[in-house]
Amino acid sequence: MELNRLQQRFEISLNRADNQLVSYLSNVQQQNLKVAEVHQLEGWLSELWQMWCRFCRTTVVASCTGCSTQAAGPIAAVHAGRGEVSYIAAKQRNGNAPPKHGHNSVLRLEPTWGHIARLIEVIQALSPANTNSLLGGFGTVPQIDEVRIIRNAAAHRNIQTYNEVLAISAGYKATGITHPVEALLWIDPPTGRTLVQARMDDMRIASRNVCA
């Protein structure tokens, strides 16, 4: 697999999602979303988060089982196959691989690939040949995790997850929210874009760096 092509496909999907959001925003009052509009935004967020997690997983698995980039050329495999990569990803602790390698085929046992801190640990445990590129690319965009926090709060609505969303409001031009997904529309002062659009820009940066 050529990582550059993987990145290009991801960015096309990301641009499509961005365009969908722009269209959505042109038809709603951002500070007074109706119930149906909240549900629509929540569905869009779910798809965006799965897209990001899928990109992270595919990039790491390919890096471990053999791939290439235009700049670096071939990247040699360091693990026997996807099952072994999955096993180590599921069993690693604090970036340390399990003492014995095995095989896993139950995907729900794997970590949340889009969770930046967990992803960094998994990369360290797997130690592919392009580890430095992966750690550098993914490690420089920690604010992507805000998307996970909001998505998690929408999926598990309680006072604790709600407060986790409020805790990130200081970095944005924030308004009051009644549903966690409304935080996606807070304004990012440096860019003037919504929170989620600014974090999608981070996803673009990360994907370009890890696949260079």
Side-chain angles (χ1 to χ4, degrees), residues 109-126:
L109 297 180
E110 294 183 356
T112 301
W113 289 90
H115 188 313
I116 296 296
R118 297 287 181 271
L119 179 60
I120 295 300
E121 290 182 353
V122 168
I123 293 169
Q124 291 171 334
L126 290 165

Side-chain angles (χ1 to χ4, degrees), residues 97-169:
K100 294 183 179 180
H101 290 186
H103 182 278
N104 176 59
S105 60
V106 183
L107 298 183
R108 62 179 173 79
L109 297 180
E110 294 183 356
T112 301
W113 289 90
H115 188 313
I116 296 296
R118 297 287 181 271
L119 179 60
I120 295 300
E121 290 182 353
V122 168
I123 293 169
Q124 291 171 334
L126 290 165
S127 193
N130 60 338
T131 290
N132 289 340
S133 294
L134 296 179
L135 293 179
F138 287 124
T140 56
V141 286
Q143 280 187 280
I144 290 175
D145 207 46
E146 294 172 350
V147 178
R148 179 190 63 81
I149 290 171
I150 296 170
R151 190 259 183 186
N152 185 61
H156 308 282
R157 294 184 67 184
N158 57 62
I159 190 61
Q160 292 180 348
T161 59
Y162 180 77
N163 285 337
E164 288 176 354
V165 173
L166 293 183
I168 66 177
S169 66

Side-chain angles (χ1 to χ4, degrees), residues 1 3 62-69 72-78 128-131 133-134 210-212:
M1 174 183 291
L3 294 187
S63 295
C64 291
T65 56
C67 61
S68 66
T69 69
I75 298 172
V78 294
N130 60 338
T131 290
S133 294
L134 296 179
V210 300
C211 294

Side-chain angles (χ1 to χ4, degrees), residues 37-65:
E37 293 167 345
V38 168
H39 292 169
Q40 184 178 355
L41 185 57
E42 186 173 2
W44 177 89
L45 171 61
S46 178
E47 178 59 28
L48 172 66
W49 181 245
Q50 291 179 63
M51 185 193 309
W52 169 245
C53 290
R54 188 163 51 246
F55 170 78
C56 294
R57 182 184 191 276
T58 305
T59 301
V60 173
V61 171
S63 295
C64 291
T65 56

Side-chain angles (χ1 to χ4, degrees), residues 181-200:
V181 296
E182 292 175 295
L184 296 172
L185 307 185
W186 289 342
I187 300 301
D188 177 55
T191 64
R193 285 160 63 79
T194 64
L195 177 156
V196 71
Q197 288 173 310
R199 303 293 70 83
M200 289 167 72

